[in-house]
Amino acid sequence: MNGLMDTLARVRIDLGLLLMVLAVLASAVAVIYSKHVGRSEFIAMQQLENRRDLLNEEWGRLLLEQSTWTTPARVEQQARERLQMMAPATRNTVVITP
């Protein structure tokens, strides 16, 4: 009977040790997984930041182009060339006073 108790006591200690080893392994796997997810998210964030920077550059170029196309001198030039428009002569101008 005494030998059975010693065996059971040893099995309990081995079971406790086994549970601790499994807990450490599970913890290690969780750390590795969280590190992997963090790196994947960081890479995705960097790609999105690069895309944002490219879009900001394009936006700046488009604003510059828009300001070039909408200058008063350009609008007047296009009105003269394409639409054959011209400023009215002073004799054709009527001033209405309130």
Side-chain angles (χ1 to χ4, degrees):
M1 186 81 168
N2 208 5
L4 180 63
M5 293 300 265
D6 288 338
T7 304
L8 285 176
R10 198 173 86 225
V11 168
R12 283 187 194 157
I13 291 173
D14 290 342
L15 182 62
L17 181 63
L18 178 65
L19 289 176
M20 288 183 57
V21 167
L22 289 176
V24 167
L25 287 175
S27 174
V29 168
V31 166
I32 291 169
Y33 177 73
S34 68
K35 195 82 151 162
H36 171 71
V37 168
R39 286 181 180 157
S40 297
E41 294 296 323
F42 182 73
I43 290 169
M45 182 186 71
Q46 282 186 324
Q47 290 172 344
L48 289 172
E49 285 177 348
N50 288 338
R51 178 81 172 130
R52 180 203 59 202
D53 293 342
L54 291 173
L55 289 172
N56 277 336
E57 288 175 16
E58 183 179 0
W59 176 251
R61 284 192 301 274
L62 289 172
L63 285 176
L64 182 61
E65 183 180 351
Q66 180 185 26
S67 68
T68 301
W69 285 103
T70 59
T71 59
R74 173 130 174 92
V75 171
E76 183 178 352
Q77 175 194 11
Q78 291 299 312
R80 287 181 192 273
E81 290 176 6
R82 286 187 177 179
L83 304 174
Q84 287 79 37
M85 296 176 77
M86 65 180 101
T90 50
R91 63 181 169 85
N92 295 336
T93 304
V94 177
V95 178
I96 300 176
T97 57

Coordinates of all heavy atoms in Angstrom, one line a residue:
M1 N 0.8 -1.2 0.0 CA 0.0 0.0 0.0 C 0.9 1.3 0.0 O 0.5 2.2 -0.6 CB -0.9 -0.1 1.2 CG -1.9 1.0 1.3 SD -3.2 0.5 0.2 CE -4.4 1.7 0.7
N2 N 2.0 1.2 0.7 CA 2.9 2.3 0.8 C 3.5 2.6 -0.6 O 3.7 3.7 -0.9 CB 3.9 2.0 1.9 CG 4.4 3.3 2.5 OD1 3.9 4.4 2.2 ND2 5.4 3.2 3.3
G3 N 3.8 1.6 -1.3 CA 4.4 1.7 -2.6 C 3.4 2.4 -3.6 O 3.8 3.2 -4.5
L4 N 2.1 2.1 -3.4 CA 1.1 2.7 -4.3 C 1.0 4.2 -4.0 O 0.9 5.0 -4.9 CB -0.2 2.0 -4.1 CG -1.4 2.5 -4.9 CD1 -1.2 2.3 -6.3 CD2 -2.7 1.9 -4.4
M5 N 1.1 4.5 -2.7 CA 1.0 6.0 -2.4 C 2.2 6.7 -2.9 O 2.1 7.9 -3.4 CB 1.0 6.1 -0.8 CG -0.3 5.6 -0.3 SD -1.7 6.5 -0.9 CE -1.9 7.7 0.4
D6 N 3.4 6.1 -2.9 CA 4.6 6.7 -3.4 C 4.4 6.9 -4.9 O 4.8 8.0 -5.5 CB 5.8 5.9 -3.1 CG 6.2 5.9 -1.6 OD1 5.8 6.9 -1.0 OD2 6.9 5.0 -1.2
T7 N 3.9 5.9 -5.6 CA 3.7 6.0 -7.0 C 2.7 7.1 -7.4 O 2.9 7.9 -8.3 CB 3.2 4.7 -7.6 OG1 4.1 3.7 -7.2 CG2 3.1 4.7 -9.1
L8 N 1.6 7.2 -6.6 CA 0.6 8.3 -6.8 C 1.2 9.6 -6.6 O 0.9 10.6 -7.3 CB -0.6 8.0 -5.9 CG -1.6 6.9 -6.4 CD1 -2.7 6.7 -5.4 CD2 -2.1 7.2 -7.8
A9 N 2.0 9.8 -5.5 CA 2.6 11.1 -5.2 C 3.6 11.5 -6.3 O 3.6 12.6 -6.7 CB 3.4 11.0 -3.9
R10 N 4.3 10.5 -6.9 CA 5.2 10.8 -7.9 C 4.5 11.2 -9.2 O 4.8 12.1 -10.0 CB 6.1 9.6 -8.2 CG 7.4 10.0 -9.0 CD 8.4 8.9 -9.1 NE 8.0 8.1 -10.3 CZ 7.9 6.8 -10.3 NH1 8.3 6.1 -9.2 NH2 7.6 6.1 -11.3
V11 N 3.4 10.5 -9.5 CA 2.5 10.8 -10.6 C 1.9 12.2 -10.5 O 1.9 12.9 -11.5 CB 1.4 9.7 -10.8 CG1 0.4 10.2 -11.8 CG2 2.0 8.4 -11.2
R12 N 1.5 12.6 -9.3 CA 1.0 13.9 -9.1 C 2.0 15.0 -9.4 O 1.7 16.0 -10.0 CB 0.4 14.1 -7.7 CG -0.9 13.4 -7.5 CD -1.4 13.7 -6.2 NE -2.5 12.8 -5.9 CZ -2.9 12.5 -4.7 NH1 -2.3 13.0 -3.6 NH2 -3.9 11.6 -4.5
I13 N 3.2 14.8 -9.0 CA 4.3 15.7 -9.2 C 4.6 15.7 -10.7 O 4.7 16.8 -11.3 CB 5.6 15.3 -8.4 CG1 5.3 15.5 -6.9 CG2 6.8 16.2 -8.9 CD1 6.4 15.0 -6.0
D14 N 4.6 14.6 -11.3 CA 4.9 14.6 -12.8 C 3.8 15.2 -13.5 O 4.0 15.9 -14.5 CB 5.1 13.1 -13.2 CG 6.4 12.5 -12.7 OD1 7.3 13.3 -12.3 OD2 6.5 11.3 -12.7
L15 N 2.5 15.1 -13.1 CA 1.4 15.7 -13.7 C 1.5 17.2 -13.6 O 1.2 17.9 -14.5 CB 0.1 15.1 -13.1 CG -1.2 15.7 -13.7 CD1 -1.3 15.3 -15.2 CD2 -2.4 15.2 -13.0
G16 N 1.9 17.7 -12.4 CA 2.0 19.1 -12.2 C 3.1 19.7 -13.1 O 3.0 20.8 -13.7
L17 N 4.2 18.9 -13.2 CA 5.3 19.4 -14.0 C 4.9 19.4 -15.5 O 5.2 20.3 -16.2 CB 6.5 18.4 -13.9 CG 7.7 18.7 -14.7 CD1 8.3 20.1 -14.3 CD2 8.8 17.7 -14.5
L18 N 4.1 18.4 -15.9 CA 3.6 18.3 -17.3 C 2.7 19.5 -17.6 O 2.8 20.1 -18.6 CB 2.8 17.0 -17.5 CG 2.2 16.8 -18.9 CD1 3.3 16.8 -19.9 CD2 1.3 15.6 -18.9
L19 N 1.8 19.8 -16.6 CA 0.9 21.0 -16.8 C 1.7 22.3 -16.9 O 1.4 23.1 -17.7 CB -0.1 21.1 -15.7 CG -1.2 20.0 -15.7 CD1 -2.1 20.1 -14.4 CD2 -2.0 20.0 -16.9
M20 N 2.7 22.4 -16.1 CA 3.5 23.6 -16.2 C 4.3 23.7 -17.5 O 4.4 24.8 -18.1 CB 4.5 23.7 -15.0 CG 3.8 24.0 -13.7 SD 4.8 24.2 -12.3 CE 5.9 25.5 -12.7
V21 N 4.8 22.6 -18.0 CA 5.5 22.6 -19.3 C 4.5 23.0 -20.4 O 4.8 23.7 -21.3 CB 6.2 21.2 -19.6 CG1 6.6 21.1 -21.0 CG2 7.3 21.0 -18.6
L22 N 3.3 22.4 -20.3 CA 2.3 22.7 -21.4 C 1.9 24.2 -21.3 O 1.7 24.9 -22.3 CB 1.1 21.9 -21.2 CG 1.2 20.4 -21.6 CD1 0.0 19.6 -21.2 CD2 1.6 20.2 -23.0
A23 N 1.8 24.8 -20.1 CA 1.5 26.2 -19.9 C 2.6 27.1 -20.5 O 2.3 28.1 -21.2 CB 1.3 26.5 -18.5
V24 N 3.8 26.7 -20.3 CA 5.0 27.4 -20.8 C 5.0 27.4 -22.4 O 5.2 28.4 -23.0 CB 6.3 26.9 -20.2 CG1 7.5 27.5 -21.0 CG2 6.4 27.3 -18.8
L25 N 4.7 26.2 -22.9 CA 4.7 26.0 -24.4 C 3.5 26.8 -25.0 O 3.7 27.5 -26.0 CB 4.5 24.6 -24.7 CG 5.8 23.7 -24.5 CD1 5.5 22.2 -24.8 CD2 6.9 24.2 -25.4
A26 N 2.4 26.8 -24.3 CA 1.2 27.6 -24.8 C 1.6 29.1 -24.8 O 1.3 29.8 -25.7 CB 0.0 27.3 -24.0
S27 N 2.2 29.5 -23.7 CA 2.6 30.9 -23.6 C 3.6 31.3 -24.7 O 3.5 32.4 -25.3 CB 3.2 31.1 -22.2 OG 3.7 32.4 -22.1
A28 N 4.6 30.4 -25.0 CA 5.6 30.7 -26.0 C 4.9 30.8 -27.4 O 5.2 31.7 -28.2 CB 6.6 29.6 -26.0
V29 N 4.0 29.9 -27.7 CA 3.2 29.9 -28.9 C 2.4 31.2 -29.0 O 2.4 31.9 -30.1 CB 2.3 28.7 -29.1 CG1 1.4 28.9 -30.3 CG2 3.2 27.5 -29.3
A30 N 1.8 31.7 -27.9 CA 1.0 32.9 -27.9 C 1.9 34.1 -28.2 O 1.6 35.0 -28.9 CB 0.3 33.0 -26.6
V31 N 3.1 34.1 -27.6 CA 4.1 35.2 -27.8 C 4.5 35.2 -29.3 O 4.5 36.3 -29.9 CB 5.3 35.1 -26.9 CG1 6.4 36.0 -27.3 CG2 4.9 35.4 -25.5
I32 N 4.8 34.1 -29.8 CA 5.2 34.0 -31.2 C 4.1 34.5 -32.2 O 4.3 35.3 -33.1 CB 5.7 32.6 -31.6 CG1 7.0 32.2 -30.9 CG2 5.8 32.4 -33.1 CD1 7.4 30.8 -30.9
Y33 N 2.9 34.1 -31.9 CA 1.8 34.5 -32.7 C 1.5 36.0 -32.6 O 1.3 36.6 -33.6 CB 0.5 33.7 -32.3 CG -0.7 34.1 -33.0 CD1 -0.9 33.7 -34.4 CD2 -1.7 34.9 -32.4 CE1 -2.0 34.1 -35.1 CE2 -2.8 35.3 -33.2 CZ -3.0 34.9 -34.5 OH -4.1 35.3 -35.2
S34 N 1.5 36.5 -31.4 CA 1.3 37.9 -31.3 C 2.4 38.8 -31.9 O 2.2 39.8 -32.5 CB 1.2 38.3 -29.8 OG 2.4 38.2 -29.1
K35 N 3.6 38.3 -31.9 CA 4.8 38.9 -32.6 C 4.5 38.9 -34.1 O 4.7 39.9 -34.8 CB 6.0 38.2 -32.2 CG 7.3 39.0 -32.5 CD 7.5 40.0 -31.4 CE 9.0 40.2 -31.3 NZ 9.3 41.4 -30.6
H36 N 4.1 37.8 -34.6 CA 3.8 37.7 -36.0 C 2.7 38.6 -36.5 O 2.8 39.3 -37.5 CB 3.4 36.2 -36.4 CG 2.9 36.0 -37.8 ND1 3.8 36.1 -38.9 CD2 1.7 35.8 -38.2 CE1 3.0 35.9 -40.0 NE2 1.8 35.7 -39.6
V37 N 1.6 38.6 -35.7 CA 0.5 39.5 -36.0 C 1.0 41.0 -36.0 O 0.6 41.8 -36.8 CB -0.7 39.3 -35.1 CG1 -1.7 40.4 -35.2 CG2 -1.3 37.9 -35.3
G38 N 1.7 41.3 -35.0 CA 2.3 42.7 -34.9 C 3.1 43.1 -36.1 O 3.0 44.2 -36.6
R39 N 4.0 42.2 -36.5 CA 4.8 42.5 -37.7 C 4.0 42.6 -38.9 O 4.2 43.5 -39.8 CB 5.9 41.4 -37.8 CG 7.0 41.5 -36.8 CD 8.0 40.4 -37.0 NE 9.1 40.6 -36.0 CZ 9.8 39.6 -35.6 NH1 9.7 38.4 -36.1 NH2 10.8 39.8 -34.7
S40 N 3.0 41.7 -39.1 CA 2.1 41.8 -40.2 C 1.4 43.1 -40.3 O 1.2 43.8 -41.3 CB 1.1 40.6 -40.2 OG 1.8 39.4 -40.3
E41 N 0.8 43.5 -39.1 CA 0.1 44.8 -39.1 C 1.0 46.0 -39.3 O 0.7 47.0 -40.0 CB -0.6 45.0 -37.7 CG -1.7 44.0 -37.5 CD -2.8 44.1 -38.4 OE1 -3.2 45.3 -38.8 OE2 -3.4 43.1 -38.8
F42 N 2.3 45.9 -38.9 CA 3.2 47.0 -39.1 C 3.6 47.1 -40.6 O 3.6 48.2 -41.1 CB 4.5 46.7 -38.3 CG 5.5 47.8 -38.4 CD1 5.4 49.0 -37.8 CD2 6.7 47.6 -39.2 CE1 6.3 50.0 -37.9 CE2 7.6 48.6 -39.3 CZ 7.4 49.8 -38.7
I43 N 3.7 46.0 -41.2 CA 4.0 46.0 -42.7 C 2.8 46.6 -43.4 O 3.0 47.4 -44.3 CB 4.3 44.5 -43.2 CG1 5.7 44.1 -42.6 CG2 4.3 44.5 -44.7 CD1 6.0 42.7 -42.8
A44 N 1.6 46.2 -43.1 CA 0.4 46.7 -43.7 C 0.3 48.2 -43.5 O 0.0 49.0 -44.4 CB -0.8 46.0 -43.2
M45 N 0.7 48.7 -42.3 CA 0.6 50.1 -42.0 C 1.7 50.9 -42.8 O 1.4 51.9 -43.4 CB 0.9 50.4 -40.5 CG 0.9 51.8 -40.1 SD 1.4 52.1 -38.4 CE 3.1 51.8 -38.5
Q46 N 2.9 50.3 -43.0 CA 3.9 51.0 -43.8 C 3.4 51.1 -45.3 O 3.7 52.1 -45.9 CB 5.2 50.2 -43.7 CG 6.0 50.5 -42.4 CD 7.3 49.8 -42.4 OE1 7.5 48.7 -42.9 NE2 8.3 50.5 -41.8
Q47 N 2.8 50.0 -45.8 CA 2.3 50.0 -47.1 C 1.3 51.1 -47.3 O 1.2 51.8 -48.3 CB 1.8 48.7 -47.5 CG 2.9 47.6 -47.7 CD 2.4 46.2 -47.9 OE1 1.2 45.9 -47.6 NE2 3.2 45.3 -48.3
L48 N 0.4 51.2 -46.3 CA -0.7 52.2 -46.4 C -0.1 53.6 -46.3 O -0.5 54.6 -47.0 CB -1.7 52.0 -45.3 CG -2.6 50.8 -45.5 CD1 -3.5 50.6 -44.3 CD2 -3.5 51.0 -46.7
E49 N 0.9 53.8 -45.5 CA 1.6 55.1 -45.4 C 2.3 55.5 -46.7 O 2.2 56.6 -47.1 CB 2.6 55.1 -44.2 CG 1.9 55.2 -42.8 CD 2.9 55.1 -41.7 OE1 4.1 54.8 -41.9 OE2 2.5 55.4 -40.6
N50 N 2.9 54.5 -47.3 CA 3.5 54.8 -48.6 C 2.5 55.2 -49.6 O 2.7 56.1 -50.4 CB 4.3 53.6 -49.1 CG 5.6 53.3 -48.3 OD1 6.1 54.3 -47.7 ND2 6.1 52.1 -48.4
R51 N 1.4 54.5 -49.6 CA 0.3 54.8 -50.6 C -0.3 56.2 -50.3 O -0.5 57.0 -51.2 CB -0.9 53.8 -50.4 CG -2.1 54.0 -51.2 CD -1.8 53.5 -52.6 NE -3.1 53.6 -53.4 CZ -3.2 54.2 -54.5 NH1 -2.2 54.7 -55.1 NH2 -4.4 54.3 -55.1
R52 N -0.4 56.5 -49.0 CA -0.8 57.9 -48.6 C 0.1 59.0 -49.1 O -0.3 60.0 -49.6 CB -1.0 58.0 -47.1 CG -1.4 59.4 -46.6 CD -1.0 59.6 -45.2 NE 0.4 59.6 -45.1 CZ 1.1 59.4 -43.9 NH1 0.4 59.2 -42.8 NH2 2.4 59.3 -43.9
D53 N 1.4 58.7 -49.0 CA 2.4 59.7 -49.4 C 2.3 59.9 -50.9 O 2.4 61.0 -51.4 CB 3.8 59.2 -49.0 CG 4.0 59.3 -47.5 OD1 3.2 60.0 -46.8 OD2 5.0 58.6 -47.0
L54 N 2.2 58.8 -51.7 CA 2.0 58.9 -53.1 C 0.8 59.7 -53.5 O 0.8 60.5 -54.4 CB 2.0 57.5 -53.8 CG 3.3 56.7 -53.7 CD1 3.1 55.3 -54.2 CD2 4.4 57.4 -54.5
L55 N -0.3 59.4 -52.8 CA -1.5 60.1 -53.1 C -1.4 61.6 -52.8 O -2.0 62.5 -53.5 CB -2.7 59.5 -52.3 CG -3.2 58.1 -52.9 CD1 -4.2 57.5 -51.9 CD2 -3.7 58.2 -54.3
N56 N -0.7 61.9 -51.7 CA -0.5 63.3 -51.3 C 0.4 64.0 -52.4 O 0.1 65.2 -52.7 CB 0.2 63.4 -50.0 CG -0.8 63.3 -48.8 OD1 -2.0 63.6 -49.0 ND2 -0.3 62.9 -47.7
E57 N 1.4 63.3 -52.9 CA 2.2 63.9 -54.0 C 1.3 64.2 -55.2 O 1.4 65.2 -55.8 CB 3.3 63.0 -54.4 CG 4.4 62.9 -53.3 CD 5.5 61.9 -53.7 OE1 5.5 61.5 -54.9 OE2 6.3 61.5 -52.8
E58 N 0.5 63.2 -55.6 CA -0.4 63.4 -56.7 C -1.4 64.5 -56.5 O -1.6 65.3 -57.4 CB -1.1 62.1 -57.0 CG -2.0 62.2 -58.3 CD -2.7 60.9 -58.6 OE1 -2.6 59.9 -57.8 OE2 -3.5 60.8 -59.6
W59 N -1.9 64.6 -55.3 CA -2.8 65.7 -55.0 C -2.2 67.0 -55.1 O -2.7 68.0 -55.7 CB -3.4 65.5 -53.5 CG -4.2 66.6 -53.1 CD1 -3.9 67.5 -52.1 CD2 -5.6 66.9 -53.5 NE1 -5.0 68.4 -51.9 CE2 -6.0 68.0 -52.8 CE3 -6.4 66.3 -54.4 CZ2 -7.3 68.6 -52.9 CZ3 -7.7 66.9 -54.6 CH2 -8.1 68.0 -53.9
G60 N -0.9 67.2 -54.7 CA -0.2 68.4 -54.8 C 0.0 68.8 -56.3 O -0.1 69.9 -56.7
R61 N 0.4 67.8 -57.1 CA 0.5 68.0 -58.5 C -0.8 68.4 -59.2 O -0.8 69.3 -60.0 CB 1.1 66.8 -59.2 CG 2.5 66.5 -59.0 CD 3.1 65.4 -59.9 NE 2.5 64.1 -59.8 CZ 2.8 63.2 -58.9 NH1 3.8 63.4 -58.1 NH2 2.1 62.1 -58.8
L62 N -1.9 67.8 -58.8 CA -3.2 68.2 -59.3 C -3.6 69.6 -58.9 O -4.2 70.3 -59.7 CB -4.2 67.2 -58.9 CG -4.1 65.8 -59.6 CD1 -5.1 64.8 -58.9 CD2 -4.3 65.9 -61.1
L63 N -3.3 70.0 -57.7 CA -3.6 71.3 -57.3 C -2.8 72.3 -58.0 O -3.3 73.4 -58.4 CB -3.3 71.5 -55.8 CG -4.3 70.9 -54.8 CD1 -3.8 71.1 -53.4 CD2 -5.7 71.5 -55.0
L64 N -1.5 72.0 -58.3 CA -0.7 72.9 -59.1 C -1.2 73.0 -60.5 O -1.3 74.1 -61.1 CB 0.8 72.4 -59.1 CG 1.8 73.2 -59.8 CD1 1.9 74.6 -59.2 CD2 3.1 72.5 -59.8
E65 N -1.6 71.9 -61.1 CA -2.2 71.9 -62.4 C -3.4 72.7 -62.5 O -3.7 73.5 -63.4 CB -2.4 70.5 -62.9 CG -2.9 70.4 -64.3 CD -3.1 68.9 -64.8 OE1 -2.8 68.0 -64.0 OE2 -3.7 68.8 -65.8
Q66 N -4.3 72.5 -61.5 CA -5.5 73.3 -61.4 C -5.3 74.8 -61.3 O -5.9 75.6 -62.0 CB -6.4 72.8 -60.2 CG -7.7 73.5 -60.1 CD -8.5 73.2 -58.9 OE1 -7.9 72.8 -57.9 NE2 -9.8 73.3 -58.9
S67 N -4.3 75.2 -60.5 CA -4.1 76.6 -60.4 C -3.5 77.1 -61.7 O -3.7 78.3 -62.0 CB -3.1 76.8 -59.2 OG -1.8 76.3 -59.5
T68 N -2.8 76.3 -62.4 CA -2.2 76.8 -63.7 C -3.4 76.9 -64.7 O -3.4 77.9 -65.5 CB -1.2 75.7 -64.2 OG1 -0.2 75.6 -63.3 CG2 -0.6 76.1 -65.6
W69 N -4.3 76.0 -64.8 CA -5.4 76.1 -65.8 C -6.4 77.2 -65.4 O -7.1 77.6 -66.3 CB -6.1 74.7 -65.8 CG -5.4 73.7 -66.5 CD1 -4.7 72.6 -65.9 CD2 -5.2 73.5 -67.9 NE1 -4.1 71.8 -66.9 CE2 -4.4 72.3 -68.1 CE3 -5.6 74.2 -69.0 CZ2 -4.0 71.9 -69.4 CZ3 -5.2 73.8 -70.3 CH2 -4.5 72.6 -70.5
T70 N -6.5 77.6 -64.2 CA -7.5 78.6 -63.8 C -7.0 80.0 -63.6 O -7.7 80.8 -63.1 CB -8.2 78.1 -62.6 OG1 -7.3 78.0 -61.5 CG2 -9.0 76.8 -62.8
T71 N -5.8 80.2 -64.0 CA -5.3 81.6 -63.9 C -6.1 82.5 -64.8 O -6.5 82.1 -65.9 CB -3.8 81.7 -64.3 OG1 -3.6 81.3 -65.6 CG2 -2.9 80.9 -63.4
P72 N -6.3 83.8 -64.4 CA -7.1 84.7 -65.2 C -6.6 84.9 -66.6 O -7.3 85.0 -67.6 CB -7.1 86.0 -64.4 CG -6.9 85.5 -63.0 CD -6.0 84.3 -63.1
A73 N -5.2 84.9 -66.7 CA -4.6 85.1 -68.0 C -4.9 83.9 -69.0 O -5.2 84.1 -70.2 CB -3.1 85.3 -67.9
R74 N -4.9 82.7 -68.4 CA -5.2 81.5 -69.3 C -6.7 81.5 -69.7 O -7.0 81.2 -70.8 CB -4.9 80.3 -68.5 CG -5.3 79.0 -69.2 CD -4.2 78.0 -69.3 NE -4.7 76.8 -69.8 CZ -4.7 76.4 -71.1 NH1 -4.2 77.3 -72.0 NH2 -5.2 75.3 -71.5
V75 N -7.6 81.9 -68.7 CA -9.0 81.9 -69.0 C -9.3 82.9 -70.1 O -10.0 82.6 -71.1 CB -9.8 82.2 -67.8 CG1 -11.3 82.4 -68.1 CG2 -9.7 81.0 -66.8
E76 N -8.6 84.1 -70.0 CA -8.8 85.1 -71.1 C -8.3 84.6 -72.4 O -8.9 84.8 -73.5 CB -8.1 86.4 -70.6 CG -8.3 87.5 -71.6 CD -7.6 88.8 -71.1 OE1 -7.1 88.9 -70.0 OE2 -7.6 89.8 -72.0
Q77 N -7.1 84.0 -72.4 CA -6.5 83.5 -73.6 C -7.4 82.5 -74.3 O -7.7 82.5 -75.5 CB -5.2 82.9 -73.3 CG -4.5 82.2 -74.5 CD -3.3 81.3 -74.2 OE1 -3.1 81.0 -73.0 NE2 -2.6 80.9 -75.2
Q78 N -8.0 81.6 -73.5 CA -8.8 80.5 -74.1 C -10.1 81.2 -74.6 O -10.7 80.7 -75.6 CB -9.2 79.5 -73.0 CG -8.0 78.6 -72.6 CD -7.4 77.8 -73.8 OE1 -8.2 77.2 -74.6 NE2 -6.1 77.9 -74.0
A79 N -10.6 82.2 -73.9 CA -11.9 82.8 -74.3 C -11.6 83.5 -75.7 O -12.5 83.5 -76.6 CB -12.3 83.9 -73.3
R80 N -10.5 84.1 -75.9 CA -10.1 84.8 -77.1 C -9.9 83.8 -78.2 O -10.5 83.9 -79.4 CB -8.9 85.6 -77.0 CG -9.1 86.9 -76.2 CD -7.8 87.7 -76.1 NE -7.9 88.7 -75.2 CZ -8.4 90.0 -75.4 NH1 -8.8 90.2 -76.6 NH2 -8.4 90.9 -74.5
E81 N -9.2 82.7 -78.0 CA -8.8 81.7 -79.0 C -10.0 80.8 -79.4 O -10.3 80.6 -80.5 CB -7.6 80.9 -78.6 CG -6.3 81.7 -78.6 CD -5.1 80.9 -78.0 OE1 -5.3 79.7 -77.8 OE2 -4.1 81.5 -77.9
R82 N -10.5 80.2 -78.4 CA -11.6 79.1 -78.7 C -12.9 79.7 -79.0 O -13.7 79.2 -79.8 CB -11.7 78.2 -77.5 CG -10.5 77.2 -77.4 CD -10.8 76.2 -76.3 NE -9.8 75.3 -76.2 CZ -9.8 74.3 -75.3 NH1 -10.8 74.2 -74.5 NH2 -8.8 73.4 -75.3
L83 N -13.3 80.7 -78.2 CA -14.7 81.3 -78.3 C -14.7 82.6 -79.1 O -15.8 83.1 -79.2 CB -15.2 81.5 -76.9 CG -15.2 80.2 -76.0 CD1 -15.7 80.5 -74.6 CD2 -16.1 79.1 -76.6
Q84 N -13.6 83.0 -79.5 CA -13.5 84.3 -80.3 C -14.2 85.4 -79.5 O -14.9 86.3 -80.0 CB -14.1 84.2 -81.7 CG -13.3 83.4 -82.7 CD -13.4 81.9 -82.5 OE1 -14.5 81.4 -82.2 NE2 -12.3 81.2 -82.7
M85 N -14.0 85.4 -78.2 CA -14.6 86.5 -77.4 C -13.6 87.6 -77.3 O -12.4 87.5 -77.4 CB -14.9 85.9 -76.0 CG -16.0 84.9 -75.9 SD -16.2 84.2 -74.3 CE -17.2 85.5 -73.6
M86 N -14.1 88.8 -77.0 CA -13.3 90.0 -76.8 C -13.9 90.9 -75.8 O -15.2 90.9 -75.6 CB -13.0 90.7 -78.1 CG -14.2 91.3 -78.7 SD -13.8 92.1 -80.2 CE -14.3 90.9 -81.4
A87 N -13.1 91.7 -75.1 CA -13.7 92.7 -74.2 C -14.5 93.7 -75.0 O -14.0 94.2 -76.0 CB -12.6 93.3 -73.4
P88 N -15.6 94.2 -74.4 CA -16.4 95.2 -75.2 C -15.7 96.5 -75.2 O -15.0 96.9 -74.3 CB -17.7 95.2 -74.4 CG -17.4 94.7 -73.0 CD -16.3 93.8 -73.2
A89 N -15.9 97.2 -76.2 CA -15.4 98.6 -76.3 C -16.1 99.5 -75.4 O -17.3 99.2 -74.9 CB -15.5 99.1 -77.8
T90 N -15.5 100.6 -75.0 CA -16.2 101.5 -74.0 C -17.5 102.0 -74.5 O -18.4 102.3 -73.8 CB -15.2 102.6 -73.6 OG1 -14.7 103.2 -74.8 CG2 -14.1 102.1 -72.8
R91 N -17.6 102.2 -75.9 CA -18.9 102.7 -76.4 C -20.0 101.7 -76.3 O -21.2 102.1 -76.3 CB -18.7 103.2 -77.8 CG -18.3 102.2 -78.8 CD -18.1 102.8 -80.2 NE -17.5 101.8 -81.1 CZ -18.1 100.9 -81.8 NH1 -19.4 100.8 -81.7 NH2 -17.4 100.1 -82.6
N92 N -19.7 100.4 -76.2 CA -20.6 99.4 -76.0 C -21.0 99.0 -74.6 O -21.7 98.1 -74.3 CB -20.2 98.1 -76.8 CG -20.1 98.3 -78.2 OD1 -20.7 99.2 -78.8 ND2 -19.2 97.5 -78.9
T93 N -20.3 99.7 -73.7 CA -20.5 99.4 -72.2 C -21.5 100.4 -71.7 O -21.5 101.6 -71.9 CB -19.2 99.7 -71.5 OG1 -18.2 98.8 -72.1 CG2 -19.3 99.3 -70.0
V94 N -22.5 99.8 -70.9 CA -23.5 100.6 -70.3 C -23.4 100.5 -68.8 O -23.3 99.3 -68.3 CB -24.9 100.1 -70.7 CG1 -26.0 100.9 -70.0 CG2 -25.1 100.2 -72.2
V95 N -23.4 101.6 -68.1 CA -23.3 101.5 -66.6 C -24.7 101.9 -66.1 O -25.3 102.9 -66.4 CB -22.3 102.6 -66.1 CG1 -22.2 102.6 -64.6 CG2 -20.9 102.3 -66.7
I96 N -25.2 101.0 -65.2 CA -26.5 101.2 -64.6 C -26.2 101.6 -63.2 O -25.6 100.9 -62.4 CB -27.3 99.9 -64.7 CG1 -27.5 99.5 -66.2 CG2 -28.6 100.1 -64.0 CD1 -28.2 98.2 -66.3
T97 N -26.8 102.7 -62.8 CA -26.7 103.2 -61.4 C -28.0 102.9 -60.7 O -29.1 103.0 -61.3 CB -26.4 104.7 -61.4 OG1 -27.4 105.4 -62.1 CG2 -25.0 105.0 -62.0
P98 N -27.9 102.6 -59.4 CA -29.1 102.3 -58.7 C -30.0 103.5 -58.4 O -29.6 104.6 -58.3 CB -28.6 101.6 -57.4 CG -27.2 101.9 -57.3 CD -26.7 102.3 -58.7

